[in-house]
């Protein structure tokens, strides 16, 4: 029997990420929320819970957006139950993914310390 490259939770997570990306984009537009996008979805092994990681264009308004998305989670789950072929759609928890903010902060600190030179097209010579 051939081994599977991906676990079922990975496949469900990828499908949820695609579907939720569209739903979140529409919710941002319809409810005048701060601009956010779905960066990852982690599904528990028993498929009962899905943690949806979102990034925000404006980090200072991320908490507001995550709170609103958690309030809309039941509506998202209902919509997903109609569009996905799952017996039971996982409960959704939205959390803020601050990895982008952390990487920008580290890059800024390195740039300010003078250790990293900004890349430009003129630096193409070896």
């Amino acid at each position: 029997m051939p081994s599977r490259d991906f676990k079922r939770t990975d496949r469900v997570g990828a499908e949820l990420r695609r579907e939720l990306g569209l739903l979140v984009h529409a919710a941002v537009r319809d409810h005048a929320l701060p601009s956010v996008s779905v960066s990852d979805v982690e599904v528990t092994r028993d498929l009962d819970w899905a943690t949806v990681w979102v990034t925000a264009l404006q980090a200072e308004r991320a908490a507001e957006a995550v709170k609103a998305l958690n309030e809309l989670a039941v509506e998202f789950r209902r919509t997903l139950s109609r569009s996905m072929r799952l017996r039971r759609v996982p409960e959704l928890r939205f959390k803020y993914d601050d990895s982008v903010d952390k990487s920008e902060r580290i890059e800024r600190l390195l740039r300010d310390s003078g250790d990293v030179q900004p890349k430009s097209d003129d630096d193409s010579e070896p």
Side-chain angles (χ1 to χ4, degrees), residues 73-121:
V74 173
E75 183 181 324
F76 290 151
R77 187 172 180 226
R78 188 176 307 119
T79 303
L80 290 170
S81 70
R82 290 186 219 116
S83 65
M84 293 182 69
R85 293 179 49 188
L86 287 175
R87 182 173 294 163
R88 184 174 182 279
V89 175
E91 303 258 349
L92 304 173
R93 280 185 290 211
F94 288 87
K95 293 189 176 182
Y96 181 63
D97 181 6
D98 64 349
S99 61
V100 174
D101 298 336
K102 287 180 179 178
S103 67
E104 287 176 355
R105 181 178 176 271
I106 290 170
E107 185 177 325
R108 186 175 54 250
L109 289 171
L110 289 172
R111 197 173 336 118
D112 292 346
S113 71
D115 291 343
V116 174
Q117 298 296 325
K119 280 191 167 185
S120 69
D121 294 337

Side-chain angles (χ1 to χ4, degrees), residues 42 44 48-53 66 69-70 73 90-95:
E42 296 174 357
T44 58
D48 278 346
W49 289 94
T51 303
V52 183
W53 296 97
V66 169
L69 290 174
N70 277 315
E91 303 258 349
L92 304 173
R93 280 185 290 211
F94 288 87
K95 293 189 176 182

Side-chain angles (χ1 to χ4, degrees), residues 5-19:
D5 290 344
F6 297 101
K7 293 185 276 184
R8 182 159 193 251
T9 56
D10 295 338
R11 293 191 309 267
V12 170
E15 181 66 21
L16 281 171
R17 185 173 50 244
R18 280 190 294 276
E19 296 287 332

Side-chain angles (χ1 to χ4, degrees), residues 46-64:
D46 59 2
L47 301 176
D48 278 346
W49 289 94
T51 303
V52 183
W53 296 97
V54 294
T55 57
L57 195 57
Q58 300 170 333
E60 61 276 358
R61 296 187 66 198
E64 172 190 347

